[in-house]
Amino acid sequence: MRTRTRAREAAARLRGPRGWVLLFAVVFALLQLGTVTGRDTPDTKNYLSYALSLGGADKRETAAVTIDYACAGRAARARREHAVDVLRFRAPSPDARVAKECRDGLWRTVDARLRAGQRGGHTLPFMPVRFMRIFEVRPGYPVFLVPFVTVLGATWGLWAAGVTVTVAGGVLVYLLLRRRRVPVPLALTGQALYYVLPCGTTAMRPMTEGLMTALTLAALWGCALALDGRARLGPAVVAGALLALFTVKHSQALFLALCLAAAGALTALRRRARPGPARRAVTAVTAVACCAVAGTLLVARALHYPSEYDSLQDLLTGHYARPDRARPWSELLHLELSFWREWLRRQLWQPLFAALLAAGAWGALGARRGAGPGRERAFGAFVVAAACTGFLNQAAHPDITVWGERLIVLAWLLPVLGLPLLLDAPLPGARRPAAGIPGPRTRSAAGEERSPEGTVTR
């Protein structure tokens, strides 16, 4: 009897909002079966070899698996491009030739560097030591990959890891919006937006961005808890997310901590006349973020992580393929001005991204003014802060070849979270009930119906 009751309760839960969240996740995962190979980038080899090394593979075994995976992806892309080439689609597919040339080239590079003594660390020596050092200090993502590639192998393991982290990001979006009392259909809209906008596409790539975005959403979850007065749990979640993000990419942890500290300080100042658990919790979040800024800088220096100067030289020398620049900071300033001028020109030409950012900012910060308890704009300030880390990351790497995708991807969190908030805003002139979410009505003993807000209706 108990088993049947539990089964009925589980079925009832699946027919509700949980079922829709699960359905969206399953549909997304099934759609990703259309591209299992060919999502990798040149940096994927470094993360995969790191994960295989952590799993116990030696250098030769790691090289064999990593090179086969990278070259299979390159061959898959060549095959797909050939199939739609209007001039050459009738010719034999070049995938076998591309795969062979890829394997031969990568094996020559790795063998030469291994024989030259470049054997340190967990990554394979695909590039010079200075460049590989950047990936050696990012163990978080390879650690996340280890169980997937160990059980499923490189191809399906990386695909499953991408699906897992992207689905988790979408679920976090749903939970965040529900935490801010957004109705279920609009919270599901946020989850769907996460999957279909570039944040979901980029998260599916075997790179750090998917895990970075999920951890950023986890930090926002902690901020939402703090705004609800969870003075211990909220700051603890933020601290845990920033600590994990440090292991994935310490520069992103620094950017997020800076932005959350600014948003938290602004929110605490606005609430100075309203003391209470929420203000104390937000102050604690601000303190955690400030400590994270200082801790990231100190630990990175103590562990001799690549500095901002090293990152700048990497950018300006084509991954150290050319001599170091004598005046890198002045060159960066010149490049920044040129980059953002070109970025703005492209936005004026194709303004979809800018329009979505504006609508998301309006929804997060302005559209819900006076919406009642739990709907304050303070959460919007934290959302804008998280989105700003995308612009900071792009500014640190003003490379126009990836301007609209990987580097700035966190800025897409603004429309993902802001558009549902905008759609939940009252129309001009409309009145919203004093206490937020409508719910099921109950009937009193006198035959009157009462809403959750206590309003009597007949």
Side-chain angles (χ1 to χ4, degrees), residues 69-133:
Y69 173 81
C71 295
R74 192 176 299 181
R77 290 190 293 272
R79 181 174 61 253
R80 290 195 286 264
E81 291 171 2
H82 171 78
V84 293
D85 190 320
V86 296
L87 299 178
R88 300 180 178 85
F89 67 93
R90 292 185 181 277
S93 176
D95 54 340
R97 173 180 56 80
V98 169
K100 182 179 185 305
E101 291 175 353
C102 172
R103 285 193 294 269
D104 292 344
L106 289 178
W107 271 114
R108 279 196 302 271
T109 299
V110 171
D111 279 337
R113 288 201 164 98
L114 288 176
R115 286 196 300 269
Q118 190 176 334
R119 293 176 170 273
H122 292 283
T123 58
L124 287 173
F126 292 109
M127 297 287 284
V129 174
R130 288 178 70 187
F131 181 74
M132 300 310 299
R133 176 65 177 160

Side-chain angles (χ1 to χ4, degrees), residues 156-238:
W156 285 102
L158 290 175
W159 179 88
V163 168
T164 300
V165 77
T166 310
V167 165
V171 173
L172 280 169
V173 168
Y174 172 84
L175 294 175
L176 268 170
L177 292 171
R178 288 297 293 153
R179 189 76 196 180
R180 303 324 300 160
R181 285 63 164 181
V182 173
V184 169
L186 292 179
L188 290 171
T189 300
Q191 182 187 5
L193 285 173
Y194 184 83
Y195 293 150
V196 302
L197 289 178
C199 43
T201 305
T202 305
M204 270 301 300
R205 285 191 168 190
M207 297 281 287
T208 58
E209 278 70 26
L211 191 54
M212 280 169 41
T213 308
L215 290 173
T216 300
L217 288 167
L220 286 177
W221 171 258
C223 296
L225 291 172
L227 289 171
D228 286 341
R230 307 292 293 274
R232 293 185 178 180
L233 183 58
V237 172
V238 173

Side-chain angles (χ1 to χ4, degrees), residues 164-394:
T164 300
V165 77
T166 310
V167 165
V171 173
L172 280 169
V173 168
Y174 172 84
L175 294 175
L176 268 170
L177 292 171
R178 288 297 293 153
R179 189 76 196 180
R180 303 324 300 160
R181 285 63 164 181
V182 173
V184 169
L186 292 179
L188 290 171
T189 300
Q191 182 187 5
L193 285 173
Y194 184 83
Y195 293 150
V196 302
L197 289 178
C199 43
T201 305
T202 305
M204 270 301 300
R205 285 191 168 190
M207 297 281 287
T208 58
E209 278 70 26
L211 191 54
M212 280 169 41
T213 308
L215 290 173
T216 300
L217 288 167
L220 286 177
W221 171 258
C223 296
L225 291 172
L227 289 171
D228 286 341
R230 307 292 293 274
R232 293 185 178 180
L233 183 58
V237 172
V238 173
L242 290 172
L243 180 60
L245 191 55
F246 178 87
T247 68
V248 175
K249 191 176 181 182
H250 70 279
S251 61
Q252 186 62 33
L254 177 63
F255 292 154
L256 183 59
L258 278 170
C259 292
L260 291 183
L266 179 62
T267 301
L269 286 174
R270 288 176 59 87
R271 289 169 169 262
R272 63 183 180 276
R274 291 179 292 167
R279 185 175 184 274
R280 290 195 297 270
V282 170
T283 302
V285 166
T286 306
V288 166
C290 290
C291 291
V293 171
T296 298
L297 293 173
L298 292 174
V299 173
R301 290 290 185 270
L303 297 178
H304 304 291
Y305 278 13
S307 65
E308 61 278 359
Y309 177 83
D310 296 315
S311 178
L312 182 55
Q313 290 291 359
D314 170 56
L315 173 71
L316 297 175
T317 61
H319 304 314
Y320 305 112
R322 298 175 178 83
D324 282 8
R325 311 300 294 180
R327 301 173 59 191
W329 294 107
S330 61
E331 292 188 16
L332 175 66
L333 178 60
H334 178 82
L335 188 58
E336 291 282 0
L337 295 174
S338 299
F339 173 86
W340 290 110
R341 184 166 56 246
E342 174 63 12
W343 185 88
L344 181 60
R345 186 193 67 80
R346 296 189 184 191
Q347 290 305 309
L348 295 175
W349 178 29
Q350 296 177 316
L352 177 62
F353 182 38
L356 289 176
L357 287 176
W362 183 20
L365 294 175
R368 290 155 61 89
R369 185 180 302 180
R375 295 174 179 262
E376 61 282 324
R377 288 180 292 170
F379 177 66
F382 286 112
V383 172
V384 171
C388 283
T389 63
F391 287 96
L392 289 176
N393 192 34
Q394 181 69 82

